[in-house]
Amino acid sequence: LGPPWHQFDTPALSHFGYPSISMLFQSKDSVFFRDGVRRVDFVLSYIDDKDGERKQERRREYEANLEKAGLELETEDKSESEDGKTYFLKIHAPWEVLATYADVLKIKVPFKANDIPNHTEIPMNWLSTPFRLPDHIMHPEPDFFTAPFNKSKSDFFLIDDKETFFPPSTRNRIVYYILARCPYYKGDHGDKDKKGIKRLLNNGTYTSAFPLHDVRYWTRSRDLNCESERYNLYKYWARFLCFFKEQPLNLIRKYYGEKIGIYFAWLGFYTEMLFFAAVVGVICFIYGLLTYSENEWSYEICSEEIGGKIVMCPLCDKKCGYWKLNSTCNSSWQSHLFDNVGTVFFAIFMGIWVTLFLEFWKRRQARLEYEWDLVDFEEEQQQLQLRPEYETKCTNRRLNRITQEMEPYLPITSKCARTCLSGATVLFWISLIIACIIGVIAYRLAVYAAFASIMKDSPTNNLQVVGSLITPQLATSVTASCINFVIIMILNLMYERVAIWITDMEIPKTHLEYENKLTVKMFLFQFVNYYSSCFYVAFFKGKFVGYPGDYAYMFGSHLRNEECDPGGCLIELTTQLVIVMTGKQVWGNIQEALVPWLMNWWGSRRSRSHPESLYSRWEQDHDLQSFGQLGLFYEYLEMVIQFGFITLFVASFPLAPLLALFNNIIEIRVDAWKFTTQFRRPVAAKAHSIGAWAEILSGVAVLSVVTNAFIVAFTSDMIPRLVYMYAYSSDSGISMKGYINDSLSVFNISEIPDRSRPEDGENPSWYRDYRYPPGHEKQYSHTMKFWHILAAKLAFIIIMEHVVFLVKFFVAWMIPDVPSEVKARIKRERYLVQEYLHNYEVEKLKMQLSQNGHNMKNVIETVESACML
């Protein structure tokens, strides 16, 4: 995993050897050492406590070992810091260290300019001109052929200047690799646990560790040797006025590394694809508006002759009274906006859209892998990126059959025990969520009766504009959704710490394995947390209520199971979806943007009055928020949860993709602004894909086909209406007249048990179901119409799923994961790399032979001269 710490025998320049230079003569807003030549690649900060002798000892040993590793250090005294307490240790990696570890990490570097012509031309390219950025921003460096760096063949590579050959992102990645593995004990036989900057940060020896931003974000650097890439990112990417512009992905990758670059590439592509889903969703919504007047069943509900004469059975025991069907007139009209034929089309479209999104992303990802030199990265990731925690905690060693070297490993018994404990913890927390959801359901059942009692005399009708819209169902749904949202947020905060703890306990081997394990745990929890209430409304509410005289009760209690509104539960699912989805997005954006800004504003309040020359670059970055190892994880999680909302339940709300599109346009710029202005520069990291999130997205895509088919079949009223229209309509043609009467059943209220019976009402009363009337030989049992409709629902689910899955698989088969052009360029580059390496070795061998022959000739001439004498 790198050279031994004593390899570099030449001592590095000591940070005690530099004379103090007056702050008045040199600007400290710089990324260089005091000599103005050596670049600051990393900064460590610490506070020298009065009683911190152990910490001082750790720092001495750690810094001595860093110097043995070849790094050069320079300390800024606390007297020169803004608070008068903080020391800053600046770290520079000289060429020898960079070359050694670039060889160890197999970092790809250029050896020849790319001479493969790029023939890709986009038709009508001029249309995209307003959305384009300047070429020097989109392509900050030329295209090269690259190969893994080899220190012994350094003359093979295009090295013009050793100081600038490795970009700052590569330099800080190499330095962090050393920091994460450097011990802080004396000699070769110390405590092996005493290793790495992470442990030193955890025990307070150092307060922070970070690479530097290259410049203040709002102005270019005065130093011509400084690239001012942060300024370019802010000017062309992070400002909200750039929301319609393309993202400078190559510059993002150069400055922040491939891992952050691939996230913004995915987020941008996801937002582009959302545009098409949003357009189709808006069209379906407009279709609902245009067919508003054709809604025959709503006319019947609102009619005084039909809905005004139908008395419905109470919706709860005792406190709920009998009610007229036309009291649900408004909700019936509202439900038509989302519960129409366009909804079925949109559900099928979204099933195909998801496949197109995933397949086209694979192609975009393959192109980025080639352009960013990540084609062979996965194997390197597995072999080289062992977590320092794994190396430290796994004391057992065994022979690696591939490398023939001893490596740490975790015994199978320990691994199984840790995995079982981890799984049990996740199940416990998921059970806790389900318990909370059951509590919310109990709240809905109890509060509905209270709202029904309060609104019995319709006091809300006195309210202007909204009074007539407020019903017990709506009031219960909105308050329950808000309570559910608060519970979701609280459980999220609690579970995050637990998920990190149990993932640490499992001791994953690599960073990739660590992130994948944490991803699965967090998504399982979030899936249940965010979607369980929507699943309840969509698939359970109103499905197990029984009928008057034989109602079903929740777990044998006195709380009667909820019924759906006569217009169906779809409008309530829409309400639930809008509140949870919109609430999460608004809260997420506030949390992401406002909290870091307030913390930075408060933390740097003393320094804002300092002139630029006195407010050092390392202090400016120290005052910013730390991004954290899992910062990007939460960004992905937020977007994947949103992806679930717009796919799993989109049949209930076609405008969900439009809301997501608006959110993501803001999200890209908020994230860009946050990265550029509010956070310290993250340590550059490599990633060739979005990792485990790709599998999760595929799983959600498959599940979304099933959920939307069930929503259309069982939650909406679409199938019963179609069955009536084509099989039971009393008119000579296809008509919905008489549908409301046909969809209701009659009950004799004298048969209602005393515990359920309210005050006397009109007899008979009606309820929503397909059952035989009282007096029939099969009274209150399901009619054949019920079974006919059920068969139609099941047939619809089977047909829709098979059609969508067939199209999905056909589309996935038709679209190759890697574009043919990229495949050809990869093969061409590999061939040229081998050819150039071969030619390089041949030329080197010729030079050696020529030099040996010349030396041999000199030896022969010397011998002949000696013999003549």
Side-chain angles (χ1 to χ4, degrees):
L1 294 173
W5 299 104
H6 54 76
Q7 174 172 334
F8 301 98
D9 297 325
T10 304
L13 293 173
S14 171
H15 53 287
F16 300 107
Y18 292 99
S20 176
I21 298 177
S22 173
M23 293 167 62
L24 298 175
F25 293 98
Q26 183 184 16
S27 171
K28 301 191 75 176
D29 188 23
S30 168
V31 292
F32 295 95
F33 274 22
R34 295 192 190 106
D35 57 14
V37 176
R38 291 170 296 162
R39 188 182 188 99
V40 178
D41 296 314
F42 226 89
V43 174
L44 306 181
S45 67
Y46 61 90
I47 297 174
D48 200 1
D49 302 329
K50 294 179 180 179
D51 55 347
E53 293 184 6
R54 292 184 63 186
K55 293 180 181 179
Q56 291 180 13
E57 179 64 23
R58 292 191 201 112
R59 283 194 290 269
R60 273 196 297 270
E61 296 303 328
Y62 188 65
E63 291 170 25
N65 285 330
L66 289 178
E67 290 185 326
K68 288 179 184 178
L71 297 178
E72 297 176 2
L73 313 178
E74 183 177 271
T75 300
E76 291 288 332
D77 191 74
K78 66 180 180 179
S79 62
E80 298 183 354
S81 67
E82 172 267 325
D83 61 1
K85 298 185 294 183
T86 306
Y87 292 84
F88 291 95
L89 178 67
K90 298 177 288 185
I91 301 174
H92 169 76
W95 170 257
E96 187 70 17
V97 174
L98 294 172
T100 301
Y101 281 92
D103 195 347
V104 169
L105 295 172
K106 304 298 179 189
I107 292 174
K108 289 186 176 182
V109 294
F111 69 89
K112 185 184 183 300
N114 191 340
D115 56 3
I116 300 177
N118 189 358
H119 296 297
T120 55
E121 292 185 3
I122 303 173
M124 303 183 71
N125 192 33
W126 57 272
L127 289 174
S128 62
T129 303
F131 309 105
R132 298 212 170 275
L133 293 175
D135 194 61
H136 74 279
I137 300 297
M138 290 303 298
H139 305 285
E141 50 191 3
D143 193 10
F144 293 101
F145 290 130
T146 59
F149 185 78
N150 190 325
K151 188 180 177 183
S152 63
K153 301 175 183 175
S154 58
D155 56 333
F156 172 71
F157 301 98
L158 297 177
I159 305 176
D160 295 328
D161 183 355
K162 289 183 177 180
E163 292 301 319
T164 59
F165 179 67
F166 293 106
S169 58
T170 302
R171 296 174 70 100
N172 72 56
R173 179 184 164 212
I174 290 174
V175 172
Y176 185 75
Y177 184 86
I178 298 171
L179 293 175
R181 287 159 177 78
C182 181
Y184 51 94
Y185 53 78
K186 288 184 179 179
D188 298 327
H189 302 289
D191 185 355
K192 300 297 182 183
D193 282 351
K194 295 182 177 180
K195 180 188 292 186
I197 187 63
K198 267 192 176 181
R199 290 181 66 87
L200 291 172
L201 289 171
N202 290 337
N203 59 32
T205 304
Y206 292 100
T207 55
S208 63
F210 53 92
L212 290 179
H213 283 296
D214 60 356
V215 70
R216 295 189 177 203
Y217 66 85
W218 64 85
T219 182
R220 290 188 181 277
S221 175
R222 297 173 184 174
D223 189 343
L224 297 178
N225 295 322
C226 186
E227 301 86 352
S228 297
E229 290 175 345
R230 185 190 188 194
Y231 167 77
N232 287 332
L233 284 169
Y234 176 73
K235 180 179 179 182
Y236 294 102
W237 179 51
R239 295 189 303 169
F240 185 74
L241 292 177
C242 301
F243 73 91
F244 61 94
K245 296 283 188 180
E246 60 184 335
Q247 296 188 86
L249 295 176
N250 289 317
L251 185 58
I252 297 169
R253 172 246 183 169
K254 184 185 177 189
Y255 192 76
Y256 290 113
E258 288 80 2
K259 191 170 185 179
I260 290 176
I262 207 84
Y263 163 72
F264 280 104
W266 176 82
L267 180 56
F269 181 77
Y270 171 45
T271 305
E272 291 171 15
M273 292 294 291
L274 272 177
F275 173 78
F276 302 102
V279 168
V280 178
V282 169
I283 292 173
C284 291
F285 181 74
I286 292 173
Y287 172 81
L289 286 173
L290 295 177
T291 58
Y292 204 65
S293 59
E294 301 172 12
N295 185 1
E296 185 68 38
W297 53 93
S298 292
Y299 278 118
E300 292 187 355
I301 290 175
C302 299
S303 168
E304 284 295 332
E305 289 74 24
I306 301 176
K309 294 180 179 179
I310 296 178
V311 179
M312 302 294 293
C313 291
L315 293 175
C316 64
D317 290 346
K318 287 293 184 181
K319 293 187 178 180
C320 296
Y322 301 95
W323 51 283
K324 297 287 183 67
L325 182 60
N326 64 355
S327 64
T328 61
C329 178
N330 287 327
S331 63
S332 173
W333 284 111
Q334 293 162 12
S335 67
H336 174 72
L337 294 175
F338 308 108
D339 191 2
N340 54 64
V341 178
T343 302
V344 180
F345 166 77
F346 191 59
I348 295 172
F349 168 81
M350 286 302 292
I352 299 169
W353 175 87
V354 169
T355 305
L356 291 172
F357 164 63
L358 295 176
E359 292 302 317
F360 282 125
W361 166 246
K362 290 177 186 176
R363 291 170 64 84
R364 177 75 65 91
Q365 182 175 277
R367 192 176 294 278
L368 289 175
E369 283 184 36
Y370 167 72
E371 293 175 356
W372 292 356
D373 298 318
L374 299 168
V375 174
D376 302 317
F377 174 68
E378 188 169 11
E379 185 177 351
E380 298 169 20
Q381 172 86 358
Q382 292 294 339
Q383 291 180 357
L384 295 173
Q385 300 298 314
L386 287 182
R387 296 174 66 240
E389 295 86 350
Y390 182 84
E391 299 176 70
T392 300
K393 294 179 181 179
C394 297
T395 55
N396 298 300
R397 304 274 163 174
R398 68 180 176 190
L399 184 68
N400 187 315
R401 296 181 182 179
I402 299 173
T403 62
Q404 292 298 305
E405 295 179 358
M406 299 300 291
E407 66 174 11
Y409 82 101
L410 192 65
I412 189 67
T413 52
S414 176
K415 185 180 289 187
C416 289
R418 293 170 186 271
T419 303
C420 290
L421 180 58
S422 172
T425 306
V426 173
L427 287 175
F428 168 77
W429 277 87
I430 289 177
S431 302
L432 184 62
I433 298 171
I434 295 172
C436 291
I437 294 301
I438 292 173
V440 172
I441 295 171
Y443 163 85
R444 298 170 74 108
L445 300 178
V447 170
Y448 179 81
F451 276 129
S453 178
I454 293 170
M455 298 180 183
K456 198 170 187 182
D457 299 322
S458 299
T460 56
N461 286 339
N462 298 325
L463 299 175
Q464 293 183 354
V465 183
V466 298
S468 61
L469 302 178
I470 300 175
T471 62
Q473 292 97 326
L474 181 63
T476 303
S477 179
V478 171
T479 56
S481 297
C482 293
I483 292 171
N484 182 61
F485 177 72
V486 173
I487 291 173
I488 286 172
M489 293 294 106
I490 294 173
L491 289 176
N492 273 350
L493 292 174
M494 296 169 63
Y495 182 73
E496 282 176 11
R497 298 173 181 271
V498 175
I500 293 171
W501 173 73
I502 58 179
T503 306
D504 288 338
M505 181 198 64
E506 291 184 60
I507 319 180
K509 186 175 183 179
T510 65
H511 293 286
L512 184 65
E513 185 181 345
Y514 180 91
E515 290 185 2
N516 288 347
K517 284 178 177 291
L518 183 61
T519 297
V520 171
K521 291 181 182 65
M522 283 296 291
F523 181 75
L524 280 175
F525 176 84
Q526 301 275 20
F527 184 91
V528 179
N529 199 15
Y530 278 108
Y531 303 144
S532 53
S533 58
C534 292
F535 270 98
Y536 164 72
V537 174
F539 306 122
F540 295 96
K541 183 180 178 182
K543 308 299 186 294
F544 309 100
V545 296
Y547 62 92
D550 189 21
Y551 284 118
Y553 291 82
M554 184 178 178
F555 304 129
S557 66
H558 295 290
L559 297 174
R560 200 172 101 191
N561 289 349
E562 282 186 285
E563 293 186 46
C564 283
D565 188 270
C569 277
L570 196 73
I571 191 66
E572 188 169 342
L573 177 59
T574 304
T575 305
Q576 181 80 19
L577 184 64
V578 170
I579 289 176
V580 177
M581 179 180 171
T582 307
K584 182 188 183 306
Q585 292 181 347
V586 171
W587 173 252
N589 283 324
I590 292 173
Q591 198 174 22
E592 285 184 27
L594 192 60
V595 173
W597 180 80
L598 287 174
M599 294 179 72
N600 287 336
W601 177 83
W602 181 256
S604 62
R605 62 193 184 282
R606 294 181 184 175
S607 309
R608 284 193 290 274
S609 59
H610 289 189
E612 180 179 329
S613 59
L614 299 183
Y615 192 24
S616 66
R617 163 73 17 231
W618 40 91
E619 284 184 277
Q620 292 174 41
D621 286 8
H622 180 264
D623 289 340
L624 298 177
Q625 296 301 301
S626 174
F627 182 62
Q629 184 184 355
L630 298 175
L632 207 58
F633 167 82
Y634 295 115
E635 302 294 341
Y636 274 118
L637 183 62
E638 179 185 3
M639 288 295 102
V640 172
I641 293 296
Q642 182 205 82
F643 180 81
F645 279 124
I646 69 161
T647 53
L648 293 173
F649 308 103
V650 76
S652 68
F653 188 47
L655 295 181
L658 182 66
L659 293 181
L661 176 64
F662 288 148
N663 175 80
N664 287 10
I665 290 172
I666 298 172
E667 179 78 21
I668 290 175
R669 303 304 158 180
V670 167
D671 284 350
W673 173 81
K674 185 175 63 178
F675 270 91
T676 311
T677 67
Q678 302 302 308
F679 282 109
R680 297 171 188 161
R681 186 174 184 171
V683 178
K686 283 181 131 5
H688 76 292
S689 68
I690 61 174
W693 297 111
E695 298 301 321
I696 289 174
L697 290 172
S698 298
V700 172
V702 172
L703 181 61
S704 69
V705 178
V706 180
T707 55
N708 283 303
F710 272 85
I711 286 172
V712 173
F714 287 97
T715 309
S716 85
D717 218 21
M718 178 61 59
I719 302 301
R721 288 200 292 262
L722 291 175
V723 170
Y724 175 80
M725 182 186 295
Y726 291 104
Y728 295 99
S729 177
S730 56
D731 281 10
S732 56
I734 296 175
S735 171
M736 290 299 296
K737 284 185 178 180
Y739 169 72
I740 292 299
N741 275 321
D742 189 75
S743 63
L744 298 175
S745 297
V746 178
F747 188 80
N748 187 346
I749 63 171
S750 62
E751 299 179 28
I752 296 179
D754 291 338
R755 70 168 185 172
S756 304
R757 183 180 299 173
E759 303 114 4
D760 292 339
E762 300 177 42
N763 203 1
S765 281
W766 300 69
Y767 60 99
R768 183 76 187 276
D769 207 342
Y770 295 93
R771 295 178 183 271
Y772 289 108
H776 193 279
E777 59 180 347
K778 297 181 180 178
Q779 70 171 6
Y780 306 139
S781 61
H782 284 121
T783 64
M784 284 302 299
K785 193 177 297 182
F786 169 84
W787 301 109
H788 187 176
I789 292 172
L790 179 61
K793 290 179 176 181
L794 297 176
F796 172 82
I797 291 171
I798 294 170
I799 293 171
M800 178 178 166
E801 287 181 1
H802 280 69
V803 168
V804 175
F805 281 132
L806 187 64
V807 174
K808 281 169 66 73
F809 291 135
F810 178 73
V811 169
W813 174 76
M814 282 287 291
I815 303 174
D817 292 348
V818 182
S820 57
E821 176 209 352
V822 172
K823 285 182 181 178
R825 291 173 75 90
I826 291 172
K827 290 178 181 177
R828 171 70 174 160
E829 182 165 333
R830 284 175 175 167
Y831 166 76
L832 290 175
V833 169
Q834 293 299 322
E835 183 181 16
Y836 284 120
L837 277 172
H838 175 265
N839 293 339
Y840 168 80
E841 296 290 352
V842 169
E843 290 298 323
K844 198 171 182 180
L845 182 60
K846 285 180 180 179
M847 291 176 63
Q848 289 177 351
L849 292 174
S850 175
Q851 188 176 4
N852 290 339
H854 181 70
N855 292 338
M856 184 62 71
K857 184 178 180 181
N858 291 339
V859 170
I860 292 172
E861 288 177 354
T862 304
V863 171
E864 287 178 347
S865 299
C867 290
M868 288 176 67
L869 293 172

